[in-house]
Amino acid sequence: MDAAEFRKRGKEMVDYVADYLEKIEKRQVFPDVEPGYLRPLIADCAPQDPESFEDVFKDIEKIIMPGVTHWHSPYFFAYFPAASSFPALLADMLCGGIGCVGFSWAASPACTELETVMLDWLGKMVNLPEEFLAGKDGQGGGVIQGSASEATLIALLAARTKTIRQVQSEKPELTETEIMGRLVAYASDQAHSSVERAALIGAVKIKNVPSDATFSVCGSALRKVLDEDKAAGLIPFFFCATLGTTPCCSFDKLLELGPICNKENIWMHIDAAYAGSAFICPEFRHLLNGVEFADSFNFNPHKWLLVNFDCSAMWVKKRSDLIGAFKLEPLYLQHHHQESGNFHWQIPLGRRFRSLKLWFVLRMYGVKGLQEHIRKHIRLSHQFEHLVLQDERFEICAEVVLGLVCFRLKGSNELNEALLKSINDAKKIHLVPCHLREKFVLRFAICSRTVESTHIKFAWQHISQLATDLLKTWEQNHHQQ
């Protein structure tokens, strides 16, 4: 393919993607395929001779689309949103076109510098304390990670290195292995599994701190676990606070937890993967109060800020903590402006020019356009909550703060499992469940950029009808027994 054909095919591909997104609600939201469906549809090995673009293009609808779960469908209410917008898609195209591998300032100055400035823009939008911004000569700053899981791992590893060095300076007789064996990380029993995975990879113990009746961790719960562990000779070093937990979007109490972490010299990392985008709205910014006590903070513009995957924003108060933990300088990476880049702040060396997506989206939507997107989703979640509350067969299981509603039929877990199965088998909408304590709960997350009030009404009527059908057969079966 030469440049001339690329121009032609590029326009065709843009048309195809635009058509796909414009007409996405005509597609069944969840595919009909079984595991292994794809292998029989394609050749055993790569072709020896080149194929035409037409041949490849035909296979998109034939082979790929039948196995796609349509995350951007207005009937997709599972997990959390995956962001997408036309400006972000265009920026991703440019990123691929420039094709730099920005592992240092010299490897592509614009790639390094735009990222630093965009994270300052974003930090100001959520009103982060000044210490987290790079500015012209700040100690902190932001970096784009691939996912919140990576951000948590990076923070945990930096905290581990910092603590080991500290303990060694106070107790030189202890070896690194002895210190490692005593280190403990903490997170809520509602925290995402990626936090536990970070501890596994970091080879440190992790303990769950029990959450309260609102599924939040409060200061007294953390204090109790810390006191027990310190008495047993362990070294608490890291706490991951969650703002907007995955099961039910609950918020750990930063204003109680922060001062404890600071006093005990524990690194506090905040994971606000989903909820963080809402903090650009002044009426939701209070949910971030207490961030001033944190060492690092992370949220995903690729969930709820119209920047498509991957773009996870992470800030630290002290860059030196990260650089200290990860810095290696082989000769082939050295250059005359060593300290100008943030490439020591991540696990992979190579990085894509991901800040272009932020730059395009922030400029072409403006803060107001992004705030309106968030507010619309939150209005729709309250609309769904209201519909659930009008039906006495159902209950709401956690406070609806942002764009997630946790609900269930009053009754057994088996009943709710059967309801979810009938919803997902019908494939008109797509939902996933969670466990809140002993209860099996259905999660309804507002996801698509194009979702409207009509889709919410449709979803509720559909769920309500399936519940009616289910309860009939359920009661008959119970009478027979």
Side-chain angles (χ1 to χ4, degrees):
M1 187 183 286
D2 58 13
E5 197 192 346
F6 176 67
R7 286 175 200 277
K8 179 173 182 285
R9 302 311 189 181
K11 293 184 179 86
E12 287 170 22
M13 186 55 86
V14 166
D15 278 340
Y16 178 78
V17 171
D19 284 343
Y20 167 70
L21 290 169
E22 232 176 12
K23 298 173 186 159
I24 196 164
E25 65 179 284
K26 294 194 173 77
R27 294 180 187 259
Q28 181 176 287
V29 61
F30 194 77
D32 279 325
V33 297
E34 294 297 322
Y37 91 95
L38 189 137
R39 190 179 284 278
L41 301 178
I42 55 179
D44 247 6
C45 37
Q48 291 298 318
D49 298 311
E51 295 180 24
S52 71
F53 179 78
E54 281 93 349
D55 291 339
V56 178
F57 195 75
K58 278 204 310 267
D59 283 345
I60 299 173
E61 280 299 333
K62 203 167 101 196
I63 296 170
I64 303 302
M65 283 300 170
V68 170
T69 300
H70 300 289
W71 279 66
H72 304 292
S73 164
Y75 299 113
F76 183 91
F77 301 105
Y79 313 107
F80 274 134
S84 173
S85 67
F86 295 120
L89 291 175
L90 290 173
D92 237 357
M93 214 162 150
L94 178 62
C95 167
I98 292 173
C100 64
V101 183
F103 50 73
S104 68
W105 183 86
S108 204
C111 180
T112 295
E113 295 197 14
L114 186 65
E115 187 163 323
T116 303
V117 179
M118 285 305 100
L119 274 275
D120 276 1
W121 275 21
L122 203 51
K124 287 172 187 168
M125 283 165 63
V126 297
N127 205 355
L128 274 186
E130 195 72 29
E131 305 126 284
F132 284 101
L133 306 179
K136 285 201 175 61
D137 43 20
Q139 305 279 296
V143 62
I144 296 175
Q145 305 286 0
S147 65
S149 315
E150 276 171 60
T152 305
L153 176 59
I154 288 280
L156 179 132
L157 294 175
R160 187 186 77 176
T161 302
K162 194 178 178 182
T163 306
I164 289 171
R165 286 176 189 166
Q166 230 163 0
V167 175
Q168 278 180 325
S169 70
E170 291 159 19
K171 301 178 177 166
E173 71 279 5
L174 289 178
T175 66
E176 190 167 322
T177 314
E178 286 171 321
I179 299 167
M180 283 269 293
R182 292 191 198 175
L183 294 179
V184 195
Y186 303 88
S188 164
D189 56 19
Q190 300 296 307
H192 193 265
S193 58
S194 60
V195 184
E196 195 177 332
R197 228 168 122 224
L200 266 175
I201 298 169
V204 292
K205 286 191 250 321
I206 184 160
K207 297 200 175 178
N208 280 340
V209 184
S211 55
D212 64 14
T214 64
F215 307 104
S216 311
V217 169
C218 59
S220 56
L222 178 64
R223 168 54 61 211
K224 184 173 179 291
V225 192
L226 292 181
D227 289 347
E228 286 167 8
D229 286 352
K230 281 165 67 183
L234 297 171
I235 306 169
F237 81 104
F238 178 84
F239 174 66
C240 179
T242 309
L243 298 181
T245 57
T246 305
C248 71
C249 199
S250 55
F251 293 79
D252 290 342
K253 298 186 167 78
L254 292 188
L255 290 165
E256 297 176 17
L257 299 160
I260 296 172
C261 290
N262 288 182
K263 183 168 174 278
E264 298 290 343
N265 220 346
I266 292 168
W267 181 299
M268 182 163 85
H269 174 69
I270 298 173
D271 172 2
Y274 164 67
S277 298
F279 305 156
I280 68 169
C281 301
E283 67 270 33
F284 298 111
R285 173 57 180 78
H286 67 94
L287 295 166
L288 185 57
N289 290 350
V291 67
E292 56 274 16
F293 298 110
D295 296 275
S296 50
F297 167 66
N298 164 246
F299 84 90
N300 290 348
H302 69 227
K303 277 195 168 68
W304 209 11
L305 219 53
L306 301 181
V307 178
N308 55 300
F309 191 83
D310 55 329
C311 179
S312 182
M314 178 189 191
W315 291 265
V316 283
K317 260 191 195 155
K318 288 203 173 67
R319 290 201 292 270
S320 54
D321 289 337
L322 290 197
I323 295 167
F326 301 113
K327 195 165 185 177
L328 291 168
E329 291 289 15
L331 185 60
Y332 53 84
L333 294 180
Q334 290 171 22
H335 58 91
H336 294 307
H337 303 281
Q338 285 297 93
E339 293 312 316
S340 312
N342 46 18
F343 66 105
H344 293 300
W345 306 18
Q346 60 166 26
I347 290 159
L349 178 64
R351 50 195 303 112
R352 297 188 309 126
F353 201 161
R354 293 177 286 205
S355 56
L356 285 169
K357 292 188 284 202
L358 268 175
W359 191 47
F360 273 45
V361 170
L362 297 184
R363 290 180 67 186
M364 292 169 75
Y365 276 88
V367 177
K368 285 183 180 160
L370 294 168
Q371 288 171 332
E372 185 37 50
H373 169 67
I374 300 284
R375 287 174 180 140
K376 175 184 134 181
H377 273 194
I378 295 172
R379 280 197 302 275
L380 293 174
S381 74
H382 286 296
Q383 180 192 343
F384 186 81
E385 176 192 25
H386 187 65
L387 291 166
V388 175
L389 288 170
Q390 286 175 324
D391 187 330
E392 71 288 349
R393 301 174 300 172
F394 284 88
E395 59 186 348
I396 294 282
C397 307
E399 189 192 350
V400 179
V401 182
L402 300 177
L404 175 68
V405 183
C406 288
F407 72 108
R408 70 198 295 277
L409 275 170
K410 293 170 183 168
S412 68
N413 284 350
E414 293 72 34
L415 178 66
N416 282 283
E417 284 168 25
L419 176 62
L420 181 68
K421 186 176 182 325
S422 68
I423 292 168
N424 284 339
D425 285 353
K427 295 180 182 173
K428 296 256 196 288
I429 62 174
H430 190 50
L431 303 187
V432 292
C434 69
H435 275 286
L436 291 177
R437 306 286 182 244
E438 272 61 66
K439 283 184 175 176
F440 182 90
V441 172
L442 282 65
R443 294 169 78 264
F444 188 91
I446 310 294
C447 291
S448 167
R449 178 173 55 83
T450 57
V451 66
E452 296 294 342
S453 180
T454 49
H455 302 108
I456 304 303
K457 285 188 193 124
F458 170 85
W460 175 247
Q461 280 161 355
H462 180 57
I463 292 167
S464 177
Q465 184 57 53
L466 289 173
T468 303
D469 300 345
L470 173 67
L471 288 165
K472 269 194 204 123
T473 59
W474 202 261
E475 280 159 18
Q476 283 163 5
N477 291 346
H478 272 48
H479 287 314
Q480 283 158 13
Q481 286 166 16

